[in-house]
Amino acid sequence: MTRVIRARTNAGRLAGRWDGDVAAFRGIPFAEPPVGDLRWRPPGPVTAWDDERPAYDVGPAPLQPQPSRDSIMFHTNFADRRALVMSEDCLYLNVWTPEPSGTSGGLPVMVWVHGGGNRYGHGGQEIHDGRALARRGIVVVTLNHRLGALGFLAHPGLAAEDERGASGNYGLLDIVAALTWVRENAAHFGGDPGRVTLAGNSAGAAHLCHLMASAAARPLFHAALGQSASGVGRAEGPLPDQAAAQAHGLCWAGEFGDRDITGLRRISGAELILAGHFGPVVDGRLLTEPTDDVFGTGRQHAVPLLVGSNDDEGSAYATLDVLRRLPAHSGIGALYPVRDADEACRTARRFTGESRFTYPVWHWARAHSGRAPTWMYRFTRTPPLPPGLDLAPPRDGLPGYGAHHTAELPYVLDNLDRRSWHWTAVDRELARVMADTWARFATTGDPNGGALPTWRRFTATEAMVFGDTDPARPGHLERPDAMRLLANLPRPL
């Protein structure tokens, strides 16, 4: 029989459950539901409750479209055994702790932000389960934030409502609200609010990069860990300013026949999230200038940083159309050749991965390494995808996805068993080493220690390689010449 464990927060009492030797509290509200007139407003404080609140199940996921084939595989956990329940009332988080009594108050905390391209995902996905990391002596928090237009719409009507004239980035503000909740409540779960690592993959990594540039967010975390994306050096170029973002918002609103915010608030959120693509902008409240400008002048949050990417980031996204957009540059032909059809497929896959994922992460590390300790990794392991998912789409023309975007996720969180794939002893040892390393970084701000080979700090190309013949070995970025070329190409790519 599952044992119940109790804890308190500043808003009220909770009843969670033991999951082996870790206590789990799920579906904890951390902000006021952003519904009705609170749609497209900064999150407000959660309302206190009187009775004990059950915290056995995750809260509703943010509203999001039905996932495509690629998003099912690479952004959402298609292996989840639970049906996806969605709601605009979605601001909930989950806590795993090995010390639920709160008496120690000294455990490091990792706050995890999911990926999903600002359109998909939620903190309750089984692949993000925090039990395995919590068993390593840290408190793990996963969270939801608003997605799509509900999370990132900028609009002149919203700016007119805001005392600072700001609009957009409501999803980022949700993350800040969750971090504020952690600062105020971590000690109740045995955590130290002065030792918080903000971590995430894909869009979640880009979000934490932006928060490193935000003066408002800096007091809330003390180390950063980003996987396979960045908020600087992006292929799209710097973040749009308010004028551009609001113009995009007005164009989107026109699809619904009503550009007025009052009218848009009357439309079902489930309808609104189906249209458009949205992400962070220079909103005037949380981000007051482009993140690239902050990093470019060394004014970002000076915290220890661990970042990296996978060797086949582009395998799920590459199309031959990208080759038509290759800019004219003297070095393009040598690094991205297109001499026959097979080579064109390989180059499309490589250019997509390097321009959208690998280069921005390298740029992030390069921009930060002179300000605070920085480490970079490369993930090279091809996971054992099940039949039907182990071949890249026909547009690619190449067998297999390789070390694809998000391939590292089940390893770094030591959650292989959350996916019913044919894992080997090599996979399990790699997961153990990576999860130990991620936990050590959250604990000390340095990934070195234990049985891990010495991980040299990043200065230009140094990287720890995970997934080769050894679980980890010191190495280098695979194609530094390509990184230097991409640094000199105009944006957008």
Side-chain angles (χ1 to χ4, degrees), residues 114-191:
H114 68 80
N118 304 313
R119 288 172 61 84
Y120 305 104
H122 59 98
Q125 293 168 232
E126 289 186 343
I127 197 63
H128 298 145
D129 187 276
R131 178 191 172 195
L133 280 184
R135 293 182 67 187
R136 290 165 163 88
I138 64 177
V139 177
V140 179
V141 179
T142 66
L143 61 98
N144 293 345
H145 63 81
R146 285 171 279 184
L147 300 171
L150 296 176
F152 295 95
L153 174 69
H155 189 285
L158 295 173
E161 293 178 350
D162 190 271
E163 68 273 14
R164 302 185 189 182
S167 69
N169 289 351
Y170 305 103
L172 285 182
L173 289 166
D174 295 341
I175 299 171
V176 172
L179 287 167
T180 302
W181 184 95
V182 168
R183 181 181 63 185
E184 296 172 351
N185 293 279
H188 297 317
F189 300 88

Side-chain angles (χ1 to χ4, degrees), residues 115-458:
N118 304 313
R119 288 172 61 84
Y120 305 104
H122 59 98
Q125 293 168 232
E126 289 186 343
I127 197 63
H128 298 145
D129 187 276
R131 178 191 172 195
L133 280 184
R135 293 182 67 187
R136 290 165 163 88
I138 64 177
V139 177
V140 179
V141 179
T142 66
L143 61 98
N144 293 345
H145 63 81
R146 285 171 279 184
L147 300 171
L150 296 176
F152 295 95
L153 174 69
H155 189 285
L158 295 173
E161 293 178 350
D162 190 271
E163 68 273 14
R164 302 185 189 182
S167 69
N169 289 351
Y170 305 103
L172 285 182
L173 289 166
D174 295 341
I175 299 171
V176 172
L179 287 167
T180 302
W181 184 95
V182 168
R183 181 181 63 185
E184 296 172 351
N185 293 279
H188 297 317
F189 300 88
D192 180 355
R195 283 203 293 166
V196 175
T197 295
L198 184 57
N201 82 297
S202 195
H207 293 337
L208 73 90
C209 181
H210 294 308
L211 293 180
M212 289 176 67
S214 169
R218 291 176 192 174
L220 302 174
F221 63 101
H222 314 93
L225 199 166
Q227 300 169 200
S228 294
S230 168
V232 293
R234 306 183 317 151
E236 307 95 316
L239 292 181
D241 61 17
Q242 273 291 284
Q246 289 182 22
H248 175 64
L250 284 172
C251 182
W252 169 85
E255 297 184 30
F256 298 94
D258 192 344
R259 295 189 170 198
D260 178 73
I261 285 297
T262 301
L264 289 171
R265 285 194 172 116
R266 289 195 291 264
I267 298 174
S268 165
E271 182 179 352
L272 295 177
I273 51 91
L274 295 177
H277 182 77
F278 294 85
V281 301
V282 178
D283 63 304
R285 174 187 293 272
L286 191 61
L287 300 178
T288 57
E289 57 184 311
T291 302
D292 287 270
D293 290 357
V294 176
F295 275 82
T297 52
R299 292 176 288 122
Q300 72 275 15
H301 196 13
V303 294
L305 176 67
L306 192 160
V307 295
S309 59
N310 302 347
D311 271 8
D312 293 288
E313 294 278 8
S315 60
Y317 307 104
T319 68
L320 293 177
D321 288 342
V322 73
L323 301 180
R324 301 188 184 98
R325 302 197 302 272
L326 285 176
H329 190 281
S330 59
I332 283 287
L335 288 166
Y336 298 105
V338 188
R339 288 169 294 206
D340 56 46
D342 287 343
E343 190 171 65
C345 290
R346 290 193 296 271
T347 291
R349 180 167 170 162
R350 173 164 274 173
F351 181 78
T352 299
E354 290 181 339
S355 63
R356 289 180 56 179
F357 303 101
T358 308
Y359 170 77
V361 171
W362 178 77
H363 180 79
W364 185 7
R366 186 178 62 161
H368 194 67
S369 59
R371 182 149 171 78
T374 302
W375 294 268
M376 175 174 276
Y377 73 87
R378 275 179 56 203
F379 184 82
T380 65
R381 180 75 175 169
T382 298
L385 300 180
L389 289 173
D390 55 353
L391 294 179
R395 62 172 185 259
D396 189 309
L398 295 174
Y401 282 105
H404 58 75
H405 188 61
T406 76
E408 86 291 354
L409 259 183
Y411 296 89
V412 301
L413 302 176
D414 199 3
N415 277 335
L416 301 188
D417 291 336
R418 300 291 173 173
R419 288 178 170 172
S420 300
W421 298 353
H422 295 297
W423 305 107
T424 68
V426 172
D427 292 305
R428 296 191 182 280
E429 177 63 8
L430 177 59
R432 184 193 66 79
V433 169
M434 295 193 76
D436 284 352
T437 304
W438 266 227
R440 188 179 303 111
F441 179 76
T443 301
T444 67
D446 188 325
N448 284 289
L452 191 73
T454 299
W455 191 335
R456 293 169 293 172
R457 289 186 184 181
F458 176 88

Side-chain angles (χ1 to χ4, degrees), residues 23-91:
F25 298 85
R26 297 179 171 92
I28 305 171
F30 66 86
E32 192 172 12
V35 300
D37 288 342
L38 298 182
R39 179 189 286 176
W40 296 312
R41 296 187 191 274
V46 65
T47 301
W49 58 89
D50 294 325
D51 296 331
E52 185 175 81
R53 181 186 180 96
Y56 306 140
D57 300 306
V58 299
L63 291 177
Q64 52 197 274
Q66 288 296 317
S68 66
R69 180 186 188 277
D70 286 348
S71 64
I72 287 174
M73 177 158 179
F74 298 107
H75 291 318
T76 65
N77 181 20
F78 63 89
D80 267 2
R81 292 178 290 271
R82 301 180 298 261
L84 182 61
V85 177
M86 297 182 288
S87 173
E88 201 165 349
D89 175 5
C90 63
L91 299 185

